Amino acid sequence: MSLLPQAVRNLARQRQRRVAGQVKQVARQGEHGVINATKSILRRLRRPVRAISRRKALLEKQWGYFRTEWQIERELETIIARGRPLVVGPWISEVGFEALYWIPFLHWVQTAFRLDPDRLIAVSRGGVGGWYQGVASRYIEIWDLMDPVEFARRNAERGVTKQYERSPLDEDIVAAVARSLGTDEFDVLHPGLMYRLFTLYWSGHRAMGFMDAHTRFTRIDAPPLIDPALLPRDYIAVKFYAARSLPDTPEMRAQLRTLVHRLSERMPVVLLDTGLVLDDDHADYAFAGSGRIVSARPWLTPQTNLGVQTQIVAGARAFVGTCGSIAWLAPRLGVDTSALYVDPKWLHAHLAVAMRAYHKLGAGRFAAADLRAIDVLTPADASSPVRGLD
Amino acid sequence: MPNFPVAAQNLTRAAFNHLARLGRRSGQRSRRTMKQVRESLKEARANVRAAAAATRDASSTTRSGAIRMTRYWRRVHGRTLPRVAGDVRARVELWRVARGNGPIIVGPWLSEVGYEVLYWVPFLRWFVDYYRVDPARVVAVSRGGVSAWYGDIAREYVELLELYPPDEFAAKNRARLSNDQKQLGISGFDSEILDKVRARFGGNAAICHPSVMFRLLRQFWLGNESLDYALSYLSYRPVGTGTSVPVPPLPPDFVAMKFYSARSLAADARHRELLRGLIRRIAQRHPVVLLSTGLALDEHEDFLFADLPGVTNVAGSMRPENNLGVQTEIIRRARRFVGTCGSVAWLAPMLGTDTLAVYSDDHLLTSHLYAARHGYASMSAGRFAPLDLNALEQSDVNLSELPC
């Protein structure tokens, strides 16, 4: 009999535990339900909030680009409005950027602001006064003001190739220009302005039409700096130099050598190897000359090297070379150009500008070729980056 | 006795001195006054000059400010606002298509293969990602058995060449082309196709028509929109493997090749000769599989070089309704793809196949090459090497003369 109350108590406890468990389960389910509902609401809210904040960030970025563009245009207007002589430069960075962007940009500035070329004084290096024809009636050679070796050393010290800001070297050159002109009553249109403006395009934030709107590509003539009789009557100008787009490897040298020799079998070749490393970090590939391969080296001095190269290219049947530097200029001289590369990573934006501009200009034909395409012609087990030309 | 004459003389002198002093003083005063007047006049003249200069500066600043503002306004009004308005319209349209749970018909794609591969498919991928559209809802409508291209976008695929006999399809598409090759709007033929597809998948299916993409990206192709803008609507990813595509027997380690005439590669004797040299040269190294279809579904004409040794033409194993699908799978299996820069040449890198894309006129290719290079760089694509035939000619790389 004494077991009965015990059994009842046990049953009651069991029942109580079951009920408590059910209550807990319901509470847990309720809690989960509330949490899930809250999460769902938050998720629903989060999406538009995220979309809005993303859109806002995008608009702010766009606004920033507009402000940069407008600020640069205002700077340009302010400089020009002073009415004083304008020193454009000094150009101390890569040849390719000068040929493809800086000079067409100056042509645009000149046209847009109706500037008299007599007001402009171009400052560059390598005897490129001819490149500025129609823009500036005066040209000052940096290497007449500064020793080329000293220039190369100080330019390397800048640590950057582009001229986004005025460096001490720029200041010293401008001071030397002032001494040369006998006055410091002039304003400077520094390449930094162009670099900052065109970065908007190079970084993909502005359209190709933006470049059309801020550049004018014109045909140029090369003034004679050497006796034309020194050159063959009919020839191909070739300039291969080591760059990121055409890196210096033994295989590359071998293949380019073969290419140059093949070209020379058809027509004399004039090699534009300067033997100088003064204005940028690109070293020319040198190829041993046969009778039909002529090196331009004996005709080149630091002060005139680019000018003489320009003259040689202008007189050539065609130009073949690394995609960069003079290759961007050759079509403006009316010369058909083959620009070769194996690594287009840094070329995308420049190729687009060149292809578009030279089509419109209708001077020389600009044809770019990825040399990696040629390796389809070679054995599967070969490992060189460029093969098949031999 | 006072000395009157001396006194009078002294008085006279004193008076004279006084008068002289007065005269001097008044002279000084008058000189000072005159000087002050002169200086005042000078100052007044300077003030007038300064005021004139300030007025001139202010007017010049106002004028240049007005010109600048006009220019900015013209830019904003002429370009930015229409672009923003177009963007908003397109996004609203896409949002309306994406909302709900009903089926979404994407297509019908009736334009060029190149635009489909390089823009339409990446655009749809962006669309389903951005609006979180379940691929189970999406029905792709295209031609040539290209369901693999839409593998990660659409669960359903409708083959247009199963809805229409190839001849009828080609004729109707040609009639549509009389307006524009690009699908800038919904043509009568589009509507007819959409009615048929709707009948199969339900009348309430939403439509994502290629015209939305054409409207959004057209300004990029024309050079008026940035690369950034175009890429913000495109999502590049490798193309997955297709199912149930009957691939013909293929030689081991072969090169797939497809040359056809286009604006970028005119069908003249010089190009035929150059390409013949190229194919002969490649065929000496690897078996070559020509992806010639023998079908006249568009305006492009295939260059045929099947007479060369080592070259196999697989035209016989393709039917109109699977020709692009078969080409896709052949390219996927190839060690390389070589062909005209356009059409499936844009696809090959997305299949992981190294590609040589040949052209001789880059006039209409600039923006596509620009986008493709960036698109491929953003995914694990095969190597894409474009080649201007003129560069080879100028460089004197005679393809047919290259030694084995």
Side-chain angles (χ1 to χ4, degrees), chain B residues 33 45 82 116 121 196 198 201 242 286 299 307 314 340 356 361 366 377 391 394:
Chain B
T33 310
R45 273 202 305 272
E116 184 175 16
V121 174
K196 287 191 180 196
R198 269 185 170 143
F201 290 93
H286 310 285
E299 77 282 14
D307 56 315
V314 292
T340 303
L356 191 167
D361 181 356
T366 313
Q394 282 155 208

Side-chain angles (χ1 to χ4, degrees), chain A residues 96 241 245 319 321-328 339-340 347:
Chain A
Y241 61 89
S245 60
F319 173 80
T322 305
C323 188
S325 182
I326 298 275
W328 301 125
L340 310 181
L347 291 175

Side-chain angles (χ1 to χ4, degrees), chain B residues 78-246:
Chain B
R79 265 187 280 159
T80 313
L81 288 184
R83 180 200 139 175
V84 171
D87 267 19
V88 170
R89 266 198 306 273
R91 279 174 183 267
V92 168
E93 196 175 328
L94 291 171
W95 171 75
R96 280 192 184 138
V97 170
R99 72 181 174 178
N101 297 311
I104 300 170
I105 299 168
V106 295
W109 186 265
L110 301 171
S111 309
E112 299 109 309
V113 173
Y115 280 87
E116 184 175 16
V117 168
L118 195 56
Y119 300 108
W120 177 235
V121 174
F123 171 76
L124 289 178
R125 200 173 285 124
W126 167 82
F127 167 68
V128 294
D129 283 352
Y130 190 82
Y131 293 99
R132 297 187 185 190
V133 175
D134 183 357
R137 291 175 60 200
V138 183
V139 182
V141 184
S142 189
R143 42 77 205 92
V146 295
S147 58
W149 300 358
Y150 297 88
D152 57 340
I153 297 161
R155 198 64 53 79
E156 295 285 345
Y157 173 78
V158 174
E159 174 56 50
L160 286 170
L161 294 171
E162 284 172 359
L163 295 180
Y164 294 91
D167 292 343
E168 189 187 342
F169 174 80
K172 287 191 168 176
N173 204 18
R174 259 195 301 275
R176 181 192 67 82
L177 292 182
S178 59
N179 295 326
D180 197 339
Q181 168 83 329
K182 313 283 174 286
Q183 291 174 269
L184 294 171
I186 301 180
S187 68
F189 188 33
D190 289 83
S191 303
E192 189 184 319
I193 294 167
L194 288 171
D195 288 343
K196 287 191 180 196
V197 179
R198 269 185 170 143
R200 195 192 289 185
F201 290 93
N204 62 342
I207 310 290
C208 178
H209 190 260
S211 57
V212 184
M213 186 271 299
F214 276 112
R215 286 202 308 269
L216 281 170
L217 298 184
R218 194 176 164 81
Q219 290 305 317
F220 166 71
W221 301 322
L222 294 174
N224 301 324
E225 275 300 351
S226 67
L227 178 71
D228 220 22
Y229 168 85
L231 294 180
S232 72
Y233 283 108
L234 302 169
S235 171
Y236 288 96
R237 254 176 253 158
V239 171
T241 317
T243 51
S244 68
V245 176

